Amino acid sequence: MRKHFVISVGCEYGCYGAEIGKMIAKDFGIAYYDRKLVDDIMEEAGFSKDLAEKAEAGVDIRGKATKSAAAAGAPTQYTNLTKRMVYIQTEVIKKLAAKGSCVFIGRCSDYILREQDNCLNVFIYAPTEVRIENVMKEHNLTREDAILLIEKNDEMFHARYKQMTGTYRGDRHNRHFLIDSSMLGPEATAKLIEDIAQKVFKEGE
């Protein structure tokens, strides 16, 4: 295989997408970057978790520019922190991808890295009933609470992706392939993605 490749895994909540991504990263012996790690890096860059959550929900965040920022030539009244956060997230993902082979979970990495020929974009989904059962089991929730949690996460992730890209998370035109994880189960789904990656990233190509 090529020495440097990236696999971007977009996924619906409750379909074991993150677990599948971890399996792939472990089997290939490459870095794994999930939502929390990217958010932690962004927090170090000065964005609080509260700001990140608001931006993720599609809220347009604005704040007054500081005196020092104004003196440096920044806008003197208001600056759009949402756009700033999108910019920083984009730069963080590009830098992590440039460091070496890795697996990204979400964070619009498929869109951010769409022009790179060493990136395989995958979207993992599952039928609604399967997702409900998975969330009930994983979080020990009632069916009603599991449905609410899925709806909340779907709304949040769709809002973030739309804000970042202007398109929709599950759009097949943004991905190289989509797969229902309930068809084969998490382990076999991970192996299938690995097999495809090996074919796509043949050594010397």
Side-chain angles (χ1 to χ4, degrees):
M1 290 181 69
R2 292 171 60 166
K3 292 182 179 179
H4 189 174
F5 63 92
V6 176
I7 299 176
S8 167
V9 179
C11 52
E12 290 183 331
Y13 187 76
C15 69
Y16 294 125
E19 290 78 0
I20 292 169
K22 286 180 183 178
M23 293 177 196
I24 295 170
K26 181 179 179 180
D27 289 344
F28 280 140
I30 59 179
Y32 171 82
Y33 301 120
D34 62 8
R35 170 185 172 188
K36 182 179 184 305
L37 190 146
V38 174
D39 283 353
D40 287 347
I41 295 174
M42 292 178 67
E43 189 172 0
E44 290 178 8
F47 282 92
S48 69
K49 289 183 179 179
D50 179 58
L51 284 177
E53 288 173 358
K54 286 181 179 178
E56 184 157 285
V59 176
D60 191 37
I61 310 166
R62 293 180 180 274
K64 291 183 179 180
T66 62
K67 291 182 179 179
S68 59
T76 54
Q77 293 186 353
Y78 292 94
T79 180
N80 190 314
L81 296 183
T82 308
K83 291 181 180 178
R84 177 63 178 164
M85 199 188 85
V86 167
Y87 171 78
I88 289 181
Q89 177 176 312
T90 298
E91 291 303 300
V92 165
I93 288 176
K94 284 183 176 179
K95 288 179 180 179
L96 291 175
K99 286 177 62 177
S101 295
C102 60
V103 173
F104 282 106
I105 299 296
R107 283 298 176 259
C108 305
S109 53
D110 65 300
Y111 181 82
I112 293 170
L113 304 174
R114 65 191 183 283
E115 296 180 358
Q116 297 189 190
D117 64 1
N118 68 334
C119 182
L120 177 65
N121 294 322
V122 183
F123 189 80
I124 301 173
Y125 65 97
T128 300
E129 283 302 317
V130 172
R131 295 170 65 199
I132 293 172
E133 291 178 9
N134 290 343
V135 172
M136 288 174 62
K137 181 189 299 184
E138 184 175 356
H139 299 286
N140 192 28
L141 297 175
T142 64
R143 177 181 173 82
E144 291 74 17
D145 287 342
I147 291 173
L148 289 174
L149 185 57
I150 289 172
E151 290 176 347
K152 176 184 176 181
N153 278 280
D154 280 351
E155 182 179 355
M156 179 175 64
F157 293 147
H158 282 306
R160 183 188 184 95
Y161 195 88
K162 185 73 185 310
Q163 183 183 72
M164 283 280 296
T165 71
T167 60
Y168 298 93
R169 291 174 65 230
D171 187 345
R172 66 186 184 280
H173 297 99
N174 297 334
R175 316 286 179 169
H176 292 114
F177 73 99
L178 296 78
I179 185 168
D180 176 355
S181 61
S182 71
M183 182 172 63
L184 299 174
E187 293 82 5
T189 298
K191 291 297 182 184
L192 177 59
I193 295 172
E194 291 167 18
D195 289 344
I196 292 173
Q198 288 175 335
K199 290 180 172 62
V200 172
F201 301 127
K202 289 181 181 178
E203 188 172 359
E205 293 187 3

